[in-house]
Amino acid sequence: MSRIVYVNGRYLPYAQACVHVEDRGFQFADGVYEVCEVREGALVDEGPHLARLGRSLAELAIPEPMSMAALAHIMRETVRRNRVRNGLLYLQVTRGTAPRDFPFPSPEIERTVVCIAWPRAPDLLEAQAVRGIAVKSLPDIRWRRCNIKTVMLLPACLAKEAARNDGAHEAWFVDGNGFVTEGASSNAWIVLDGGAVITRQIGPDILSGVTRATLIEGLAKEGISFMERPFRLTEAQSAREAFITSASNTVMPVVRIDGVTIGDGKPGPITRTLRSKFHQFAAISVS
Ligand code: PMP
């Protein structure tokens, strides 16, 4: 089936979907984005993703390109036109196109808006969740405003490539004090021996994950004890369970960190329960 991409007001065939060479997203990574899960044709946690997009835009003083309702319409329309039942939706907004110069151009210029949706086979992801994934740790070399979801993803690309070369599926960043910040494209969690679930508190050193926030609500509903605090790699390696969260993985078990087996090397019961119940906690859009 041919793919359709939304670019600046038009739904275009994939091969014709382009932005200008002087788009500030291309030249300066001056843009923000969101990735949403598409499940049974509906967007998962659409509202919180749009709210975070609004916060990212505000942090960078990029004027909203249109109302959030109009963006939601584009997201749903992109899913619909691509007939995606299960997959992912990508939405990007950049400051727009202007002659290359570091300071911001006039706020009057049109922002660039791109929306793409693609299908994914749920059984492949499920098979991975049954096995669990390996993680590789790396120093966190990112900037100090990781709470903004910018398209400046080169540290994440380098980390993911290093992880892949080591047979790992995700990289965990470690700060200067030896504490795990988050994954290259996910939030990091551990489960202690007593069953308490731990993840780092939000702040400028991590992205406030939408999946993370939804799961925290779910933990309360399930009566699972939960604490927000930093943890070291060594604590994670001796934890009973570990997992990551992101829109593209929901809850994904981690079974190895830097070659050290977590628990008995299989996804643990709390992680499995949280994964299986995740969509009961999340908001599913109805179009
Ligand atoms: N941290 C980083 C650095 C990420 O890139 C992502 C995925 N976008 C996450 C955390 C998880 O965020 P979410 O649950 O909103 O997908």
Side-chain angles (χ1 to χ4, degrees):
M1 195 191 77
S2 62
R3 291 183 61 192
I4 302 294
V5 180
Y6 174 90
V7 189
N8 293 333
R10 295 197 292 165
Y11 293 92
L12 296 168
Y14 187 83
Q16 289 162 34
C18 330
V19 297
H20 196 275
V21 291
E22 287 206 296
D23 189 278
R24 287 182 63 97
F26 180 56
Q27 292 187 328
F28 297 116
D30 190 1
V32 301
Y33 74 107
E34 284 295 325
V35 177
C36 273
E37 185 193 3
V38 182
R39 186 175 154 85
E40 301 304 326
L43 289 160
V44 177
D45 280 337
E46 173 195 81
H49 279 286
L50 280 170
R52 184 175 62 190
L53 185 84
R55 291 198 302 277
S56 296
L57 290 169
E59 288 279 355
L60 300 179
I62 299 176
E64 287 182 5
M66 61 187 82
S67 70
M68 288 296 157
L71 281 174
H73 175 77
I74 290 167
M75 288 160 70
R76 291 171 185 207
E77 190 61 15
T78 304
V79 170
R80 195 185 67 76
R81 289 191 188 223
N82 287 281
R83 300 205 191 106
V84 176
R85 293 291 309 154
N86 293 291
L88 293 170
L89 176 117
Y90 177 86
L91 175 69
Q92 180 175 343
V93 180
T94 80
R95 200 180 302 275
T97 295
R100 188 178 184 279
D101 194 12
F102 288 86
F104 298 167
S106 156
E108 303 297 307
I109 67 162
E110 293 286 317
R111 270 70 65 209
T112 298
V113 181
V114 170
C115 193
I116 311 174
W118 63 93
R120 266 190 330 173
D123 39 333
L124 286 183
L125 197 66
E126 219 36 62
Q128 190 169 55
V130 168
R131 290 190 303 272
I133 61 162
V135 157
K136 176 183 172 64
S137 73
L138 286 152
D140 197 338
I141 58 166
R142 301 173 304 163
W143 74 335
R144 293 186 205 141
R145 301 185 72 187
C146 294
N147 53 320
I148 311 171
K149 196 165 171 61
T150 77
V151 294
M152 190 178 60
L153 291 171
L154 204 44
C157 294
L158 294 172
K160 291 264 196 188
E161 176 65 12
R164 187 176 62 177
N165 290 339
D166 249 20
H169 182 78
E170 176 60 307
W172 276 10
F173 288 128
V174 178
D175 70 16
N177 298 317
F179 292 101
V180 174
T181 51
E182 61 179 333
S185 64
S186 60
N187 289 114
W189 305 67
I190 56 173
V191 182
L192 302 183
D193 270 341
V197 175
I198 313 286
T199 197
R200 190 179 176 111
Q201 69 281 6
I202 57 172
D205 37 21
I206 69 165
L207 184 74
S208 177
V210 168
T211 318
R212 175 188 181 282
T214 296
L215 193 70
I216 290 172
E217 286 173 21
L219 291 170
K221 287 179 194 148
E222 293 297 305
I224 297 173
S225 81
F226 163 67
M227 218 186 306
E228 283 178 302
R229 67 159 172 82
F231 57 85
R232 290 179 191 279
L233 211 54
T234 45
E235 187 179 14
Q237 286 172 323
S238 58
R240 195 205 274 179
E241 301 179 28
F243 61 91
I244 58 168
T245 56
S246 69
S248 51
N249 286 291
T250 66
V251 176
M252 180 59 72
V254 171
V255 293
R256 225 167 46 246
I257 303 174
D258 288 347
V260 174
T261 300
I262 310 305
D264 63 1
K266 297 198 189 85
I270 293 185
T271 306
R272 281 191 280 118
T273 302
L274 294 175
R275 180 175 178 83
S276 68
K277 294 200 170 167
F278 178 76
H279 292 105
Q280 295 172 28
F281 309 144
I284 314 288
S285 70
V286 274
S287 33

